[in-house]
Amino acid sequence: MKVFVNIPKNNEIYWAYKRPQVTIKIQSNGNGVKTVLTNMSEIASALNIPDQVVMKYLGMKIGACGGINKNQSFLTGRYTVEIIEDVLEQLIAEFLLCSRCGIAEINFYKQLVHPSLPVREPILRQCLACGHYNSYISHDSKMFSILVKCDNNHQWMKVKVSPKARSLKYMFDNLKDAILPSEDSCCGDGVKCIPSLSDISIVLN
């Protein structure tokens, strides 16, 4: 029989957000012992986040190698349900709950400066329930690397144009207007005028 718990864990009977409790199976072979999380795909679906992200986070926090092989989610070593549940609740509290309304309705957005450039801008987290933008995930955090690597494989994060990209486009448009002569800008005898370096520096500054 499946056991469901609230997201996050609380005593509310009619709480709308629920997930299955972790179920495990210990496997031992010639390569050592590993803990298989038999219902990780269901848990990840309830959390609205890829199971690869959950497994990498669990492995990072527990200090084990976590991954998915042939649709089997596992951690190297022997761990109890209680340990895994505790770390899973840390993930929920740290990244999946809105700091304003406390609802687990977070969408992750990667910010792009240009499609050909790697993601280096902070990852945004917006709550779908109340619209609040939660604290961003900076590029120097371990979670940033986990999210981006998973997104490179599965394209699961939504995309927003970075403010830096908009400012670069604004600067380019103004610079283009300053450097390239218009149809009407003539110095006489039909010769188009080219702006001086001082004119261009005004635009850049």
Side-chain angles (χ1 to χ4, degrees):
M1 180 179 176
K2 291 184 178 180
V3 177
F4 287 85
V5 296
N6 292 342
I7 308 172
K9 285 184 177 179
N10 56 51
N11 296 322
E12 294 288 340
I13 299 176
Y14 300 107
W15 195 254
Y17 301 89
K18 296 182 181 292
R19 64 169 176 85
Q21 189 177 44
V22 173
T23 57
I24 63 172
K25 180 172 62 175
I26 305 298
Q27 290 185 351
S28 178
N29 51 39
N31 295 324
V33 179
K34 64 181 179 181
T35 303
V36 177
L37 286 71
T38 57
N39 62 341
M40 178 47 63
S41 60
E42 298 175 56
I43 294 173
S45 178
L47 297 177
N48 194 30
I49 193 170
D51 47 2
Q52 291 89 347
V53 172
V54 181
M55 292 307 301
K56 289 295 183 183
Y57 182 89
L58 291 175
M60 177 182 69
K61 287 294 186 179
I62 292 176
C65 292
I68 300 173
N69 184 25
K70 297 179 180 179
N71 296 323
Q72 187 181 72
S73 302
F74 68 91
L75 294 167
T76 55
R78 186 187 298 269
Y79 304 98
T80 63
V81 169
E82 290 74 21
I83 290 175
I84 298 173
E85 279 283 338
D86 286 345
V87 179
L88 192 57
E89 284 298 308
Q90 292 178 34
L91 169 65
I92 293 170
E94 191 173 359
F95 295 107
L96 304 182
L97 290 184
C98 176
S99 59
R100 174 184 287 175
C101 67
I103 299 296
E105 283 275 11
I106 294 293
N107 256 3
F108 292 81
Y109 295 90
K110 59 182 177 182
Q111 299 185 90
L112 294 183
V113 175
H114 190 275
S116 64
L117 297 177
V119 179
R120 298 297 293 173
E121 297 297 299
I123 293 174
L124 302 178
R125 298 185 302 128
Q126 184 182 23
C127 177
L128 295 181
C130 69
H132 176 63
Y133 277 96
N134 291 257
S135 59
Y136 59 79
I137 302 172
S138 63
H139 72 273
D140 56 353
S141 71
K142 292 182 179 179
M143 191 60 175
F144 181 93
S145 301
I146 292 174
L147 293 171
V148 171
K149 185 174 181 180
C150 180
D151 185 70
N152 290 339
N153 295 331
H154 302 282
Q155 300 294 314
W156 69 278
M157 277 194 289
K158 300 181 184 299
V159 177
K160 282 185 180 292
V161 178
S162 167
K164 186 181 293 185
R166 287 193 289 268
S167 63
L168 286 173
K169 183 179 184 302
Y170 176 80
M171 186 185 74
F172 174 78
D173 289 342
N174 282 275
L175 184 61
K176 180 180 66 175
D177 292 339
I179 295 177
L180 300 179
S182 65
E183 295 293 333
D184 300 327
S185 59
C186 296
C187 298
D189 299 327
V191 178
K192 292 185 177 180
C193 296
I194 301 297
S196 65
L197 290 177
S198 60
D199 294 331
I200 296 174
S201 66
I202 293 174
V203 176
L204 292 176
N205 293 330

